[in-house]
Amino acid sequence: MSPIVNRTDIRMKRQQHCAALRHGLFGTPVNAIVTLATVALLLWTIPPLVRWALLDAIWTGTAKDCAASSGACWAFIGTKLRFILFALYPPELDWRPAVTVVTIVALLAITGMPRFWTLHLVYLWIAVVVFVWMLMAGLVVGPKVPTGRWGGLALTLLISVVGFACAFPIAVLLALARRSKMAGVRILAILYIEAVRGVPMIAILYVAMLLVPMMLPAGFSPEALVRAQIGLTLFISAYLAEVVRAGFHAVPYEQAEAASALGLGYWPIVWLIVLPQALRAVIPALVNLAIGILLNSTLVAVIGIFDLLNAAKNAANDPVWLGFYDESYLFAGLIYFIICYAASRYSLWLERHLRKAT
């Protein structure tokens, strides 16, 4: 293609984009009013925010220095960063939650690459989950640390990732059971899914913390984090089952019939033909559910578990740095935003990648 023609095409596309942008912003009286109102709102809120967060902020110093200033106290974040990220974990063992965070992020990065989508990835997930859990507990390298002292970013990522990973096989079985021709199996799956989806997650956590110990034999009671993790997994599996079932409905039934006519059994058809196409069809829903799980994991704070948000809140309860909740919540929110934004961008990339592959 001639360079002149190429530059002409680029110029035309830019002109079309600018025209579409002008029409979207000022094409109608309503659009113009909304645009002007939005600009006025930004001009009213952004300058004071920039002044508070950057220009008048205290970056180093003590609580007294922050109290004498009208800006943000980022010195508080610098002082409390370790507690926000690792909470009550012993300071001399901070390398363990740090390794846990890096390992989980690396696992998610590998999982996000389609070329690694083989059965070996399942084994890797099992190995990594067992490893990080044993590492945090001190079973790999001593001393041991009880789960009551786990917290911060490492715990938030751990309970979210473990909950989603453990819920996935349960959800697939529930989705298949709800589509089953056996009435008993189908009814049990429907009852479980609708019952769990009909109550808030906080109720599930309270059941795991208060009722489960009373229903277990005397002397046998898993730790609070283990019970919360099981409750969270069962809660996620009900929602994930409906997402997977929607993916099953997107796969033409004729494909399963054709595979059956070729002699394939039920499970090979599900594993090799139906499930891969079903998951591809519901990628946006899966990512959206994963983001929701990460955000809803903050509810474990109500049962005394120090996740990232709870650690940020308690960091501002320190008598020396009392009251710096704005900075603490803003910092924690920034971490959540980075994780969720990266997940949403990955979802868009994966959709385009798989569309090209087909």
Side-chain angles (χ1 to χ4, degrees), residues 83 298 300-302 304-315 336:
F83 184 83
T298 58
V300 299
V302 301
I305 295 177
F306 275 75
D307 69 308
L308 175 62
L309 189 62
N310 196 22
K313 183 190 74 172
N314 281 273
Y336 281 111

Side-chain angles (χ1 to χ4, degrees), residues 11-12 20 38 83 85 89 108 119 141 147 150 177 201 205-206 222 226 234 239 267 281 293 333 337:
R11 190 180 303 110
M12 292 180 61
T38 302
F83 184 83
L85 295 181
Y89 209 83
L108 294 176
L119 189 59
V141 179
T147 57
W150 299 10
M201 190 175 78
L205 293 175
Y206 276 128
V226 176
L234 296 177
Y239 283 85
W267 290 110
I293 292 167
F337 173 77

Side-chain angles (χ1 to χ4, degrees), residues 26 29 38 42 57 65 74-75 114 145 165 174 192-193 199 206 217 223 230 244 255 260 273-274 286 306 325 330 357:
F26 302 100
T38 302
L42 292 177
D65 298 328
W74 301 122
V145 178
L174 286 172
Y192 173 81
I193 293 173
V199 296
Y206 276 128
E223 294 183 337
I230 294 174
V244 175
Q255 295 193 21
S260 179
I273 297 175
V274 179
L286 290 175
F306 275 75
Y325 293 102
L330 187 60

Side-chain angles (χ1 to χ4, degrees), residues 37-111:
T38 302
V39 172
L41 179 63
L42 292 177
L43 292 176
W44 180 52
T45 57
I46 295 300
L49 179 61
V50 172
R51 190 180 309 112
W52 174 81
L54 300 176
L55 301 181
D56 297 336
I58 302 298
W59 299 91
T60 58
T62 63
K64 292 183 179 180
D65 298 328
C66 293
S69 173
S70 60
C73 182
W74 301 122
F76 162 78
I77 298 298
T79 303
K80 291 295 183 179
L81 181 62
R82 195 218 73 84
F83 184 83
I84 294 175
L85 295 181
F86 304 137
L88 300 176
Y89 209 83
E92 67 275 10
L93 300 174
D94 281 348
W95 64 271
R96 291 185 189 171
V99 170
T100 297
V101 171
V102 173
T103 303
I104 291 176
V105 171
L107 176 63
L108 294 176
I110 293 173
T111 305

Side-chain angles (χ1 to χ4, degrees), residues 5-356:
V5 176
N6 190 25
R7 285 197 296 269
T8 303
D9 291 340
I10 294 175
R11 190 180 303 110
M12 292 180 61
K13 289 181 179 179
R14 288 178 178 175
Q15 292 175 352
Q16 293 174 355
H17 178 73
C18 292
L21 183 62
R22 285 195 301 270
H23 180 76
L25 295 176
F26 302 100
T28 65
V30 175
N31 286 0
I33 293 173
V34 172
T35 300
L36 294 176
T38 302
V39 172
L41 179 63
L42 292 177
L43 292 176
W44 180 52
T45 57
I46 295 300
L49 179 61
V50 172
R51 190 180 309 112
W52 174 81
L54 300 176
L55 301 181
D56 297 336
I58 302 298
W59 299 91
T60 58
T62 63
K64 292 183 179 180
D65 298 328
C66 293
S69 173
S70 60
C73 182
W74 301 122
F76 162 78
I77 298 298
T79 303
K80 291 295 183 179
L81 181 62
R82 195 218 73 84
F83 184 83
I84 294 175
L85 295 181
F86 304 137
L88 300 176
Y89 209 83
E92 67 275 10
L93 300 174
D94 281 348
W95 64 271
R96 291 185 189 171
V99 170
T100 297
V101 171
V102 173
T103 303
I104 291 176
V105 171
L107 176 63
L108 294 176
I110 293 173
T111 305
M113 302 178 187
R115 64 174 177 269
F116 294 115
W117 291 355
T118 63
L119 189 59
H120 296 90
L121 185 61
V122 178
Y123 301 143
L124 179 63
W125 266 85
I126 296 174
V128 168
V129 168
V130 172
F131 167 74
V132 295
W133 194 280
M134 295 177 63
L135 178 66
M136 291 286 289
L139 300 179
V140 176
V141 179
K144 295 182 179 180
V145 178
T147 57
R149 301 195 64 181
W150 299 10
L153 180 61
L155 180 63
T156 295
L157 292 178
L158 187 62
I159 61 177
S160 301
V161 169
V162 171
F164 194 90
C166 295
F168 187 81
I170 300 175
V172 172
L173 294 177
L174 286 172
L176 293 173
R178 188 157 187 174
R179 289 163 47 90
S180 175
K181 296 180 180 179
M182 293 183 288
V185 174
R186 185 173 64 254
I187 292 173
L188 289 176
I190 293 174
L191 289 176
Y192 173 81
I193 293 173
E194 297 303 329
V196 174
R197 280 159 50 92
V199 296
M201 190 175 78
I202 192 171
I204 301 293
L205 293 175
Y206 276 128
V207 168
M209 296 303 298
L210 302 177
L211 298 183
V212 170
M214 292 188 292
M215 293 185 291
L216 295 176
F220 176 74
S221 179
E223 294 183 337
L225 180 59
V226 176
R227 299 199 302 271
Q229 184 69 78
I230 294 174
L232 184 64
T233 300
L234 296 177
F235 182 83
I236 295 170
S237 65
Y239 283 85
L240 189 56
E242 289 298 276
V243 175
V244 175
R245 187 169 69 93
F248 284 152
H249 282 297
V251 180
Y253 185 72
E254 291 77 7
Q255 295 193 21
E257 288 184 332
S260 179
L262 293 175
L264 289 179
Y266 177 78
W267 290 110
I269 292 175
V270 171
W271 180 256
L272 299 175
I273 297 175
V274 179
L275 186 59
Q277 297 183 76
L279 296 182
R280 178 181 298 182
V282 294
I283 286 175
L286 290 175
V287 175
N288 183 64
L289 180 61
I291 293 174
I293 292 167
L294 175 67
L295 299 179
N296 287 330
S297 66
T298 58
L299 291 175
V300 299
V302 301
I303 57 176
I305 295 177
F306 275 75
D307 69 308
L308 175 62
L309 189 62
N310 196 22
K313 183 190 74 172
N314 281 273
N317 290 335
D318 187 338
V320 179
W321 295 91
L322 186 63
F324 295 102
Y325 293 102
D326 294 340
E327 294 84 352
S328 190
Y329 283 131
L330 187 60
F331 180 73
L334 180 62
I335 295 177
Y336 281 111
F337 173 77
I338 292 173
I339 296 174
C340 296
Y341 181 76
S344 64
R345 300 307 300 177
Y346 165 75
S347 174
L348 296 175
W349 172 84
L350 185 60
E351 284 185 85
R352 291 193 298 267
H353 177 81
L354 294 179
R355 194 179 301 119
K356 291 178 181 178

